Each structure stands twice: as C-alpha cells, then as structure tokens.
Amino acid sequence: MKWTISQLHQLQSKGLKIDEEVNVSDLVTSHKDIRDISPVNVIGRADLSSTKATFHLTITGSMVLPCSRTLVDVQYPFSIDTTETFLLKPADYDTEEDFHLVDGDVLDLTPIIKEIIILEIPIQVFCDDDKVEGAAPQSGKDWEVISEEAQNNKVDPRLAGLAKFFENDES
C-alpha cells in the first residue's frame, strides 16, 4: 500500500482503484487487547490532484479480543468506512483540517490503516455464547441475563393496578 508521489501524478488522469488484502498481524504484538487478527481487506478509490490525494476506503476484517467478563477469546468482525487526505505539497493548504503529511517521496497507507483498526477496538466485548468453554453463563438458579429492551417492556407489578384505572376511565 505504498506509492511514490510520481506514481500518483501518473495515475492522476486514470484514477486509482484499491482492492487489496493487507497483513496487519504485527498489531498482535503492539496492542495488548488484540490476541489475533486476520488479514484485512481494503477496498476503495483515490481522488488524485497535483497537491493532494484523498482516499475513500472500506476496511473489513476480524480480530480476536478478550471477553470483558471472563477473558475468553471473542471474534470481533469490523467494517470501517473512512476518508483520508494526504497533502503532497503541504505549503499550499491551511493545515487546520484533518490531513496527513507525506514523509519523503513515498505515501504509505499501512500505518494509517493500523491506526484506524486500533481506534475501532471497543472498550468492552462480551462473549454471549454459552457453548464456548469458559464463557460467562447467561442464566442460573433464580437469575438470568435479560436485555435492556425486555426490561423496559416489563410492567412493574406495583403499578399494574394503575394501568387498569386508565382503561376504566376511557370507556
């Protein structure tokens, strides 16, 4: 995922389509929460001009993260849509917006892709599958895990009589 500035200038009239698989397995050693990560697919296009290159990308893949309750492995698929702009001539623009500067004569997307993936890691991941060994149980004696929606739809038994009061008043 590297291009020289001269290559980008040559592709300016044609445009640049991207459909590549990128190996980001070194994220396992550099980030403590990622236990494993599959090669990610990067699909998109680049809008090229003489002064900047704007990449419109979709990054998809799957990583293994620890469950926040029990630390068992949880598969976490992700799909990220992003737009990244690189300034080829930084003196021509006001840099208050979100731009990346090109180091030397080579534009490298791989470190940006890794950074975007790291930002996608959620704070908490839960393994809700009872079939996984070591996963937290979803029910037990006199208790069960319920969703927030089920809790909101449940009528408090202390207020059940009040609901009947409004039914009689309308008829």
Side-chain angles (χ1 to χ4, degrees), residues 69 72 127-140 143 145:
R69 290 183 191 130
V72 298
C127 179
D128 293 333
D129 190 5
D130 285 337
K131 297 172 184 75
V132 175
E133 184 178 333
Q138 297 298 306
S139 63
W143 69 273
V145 177

Side-chain angles (χ1 to χ4, degrees), residues 137-149:
Q138 297 298 306
S139 63
K141 183 179 179 187
D142 298 330
W143 69 273
E144 69 177 312
V145 177
I146 59 171
S147 68
E148 188 174 335
E149 295 151 359

Side-chain angles (χ1 to χ4, degrees), residues 68-107:
S68 296
R69 290 183 191 130
T70 61
L71 299 179
V72 298
D73 290 348
V74 177
Q75 279 289 338
Y76 182 75
F78 59 89
S79 178
I80 310 163
D81 293 321
T82 185
T83 301
E84 303 296 326
T85 303
F86 288 83
L87 296 181
L88 305 178
K89 296 179 183 175
D92 294 345
Y93 286 94
D94 183 18
T95 57
E96 289 182 16
E97 294 185 37
D98 191 18
F99 290 114
H100 302 283
L101 300 176
V102 177
D103 292 334
D105 290 338
V106 178
L107 187 148

Side-chain angles (χ1 to χ4, degrees), residues 1-3 18 20-22 42 57 107-110 113:
M1 304 276 313
K2 292 182 183 182
W3 299 274
I18 300 169
E20 290 190 34
E21 190 171 270
V22 179
V42 180
L57 305 173
L107 187 148
D108 189 7
L109 269 180
T110 307
I113 291 171

